[in-house]
Amino acid sequence: MAWECGIDGCGAVFEDVESAVIHQATDHERPECKVCGTIVPDGYLALRHTFNEHSRAEYVRAYGADSEDVRKREELVEEIEDVADMELIANELTR
């Protein structure tokens, strides 16, 4: 399965999810979390931060999202976590 970077229309395609996540974290600017102000890697890791550190209501208020937005992003996070080797990602990002 190919994985495409969806950040700002980037469209880069990767053979594995780990490469896509590493690309998002290293090749794109790090945004500031609109809930707490923490600077986080973009893409999957930003979503993971938001959903692990903040409530769904905080996400909705801070990002102007609706329940469909939240559902889609939660499904994406779950899909990535089901197949990603998180240890490999962590090791690559801490080099």
Side-chain angles (χ1 to χ4, degrees):
M1 172 179 184
W3 293 84
E4 183 176 341
C5 177
I7 298 172
D8 296 330
C10 173
V13 177
F14 303 88
E15 289 187 26
D16 56 76
V17 69
E18 294 84 4
S19 296
V21 171
I22 292 165
H23 158 80
Q24 290 178 332
T26 59
D27 292 352
H28 291 280
E29 283 190 42
R30 293 175 174 238
E32 181 178 318
C33 173
K34 292 182 181 180
V35 178
C36 69
T38 299
I39 304 298
V40 295
D42 209 351
Y44 159 75
L45 293 172
L47 290 174
R48 183 171 182 230
H49 163 83
T50 302
F51 292 134
N52 286 343
E53 300 298 322
H54 309 295
S55 71
R56 303 309 177 257
E58 288 174 315
Y59 178 82
V60 167
R61 283 191 302 273
Y63 289 91
D66 61 25
S67 60
E68 179 64 23
D69 295 326
V70 172
R71 238 184 331 278
K72 284 179 11 185
R73 285 161 179 80
E74 285 177 327
E75 288 170 3
L76 180 60
V77 167
E78 282 182 32
E79 181 180 0
I80 290 169
E81 290 177 349
D82 285 347
V83 298
D85 181 341
M86 298 308 290
E87 187 174 333
L88 179 121
I89 293 169
N91 288 338
E92 284 295 315
L93 294 177
T94 56
R95 283 170 155 223

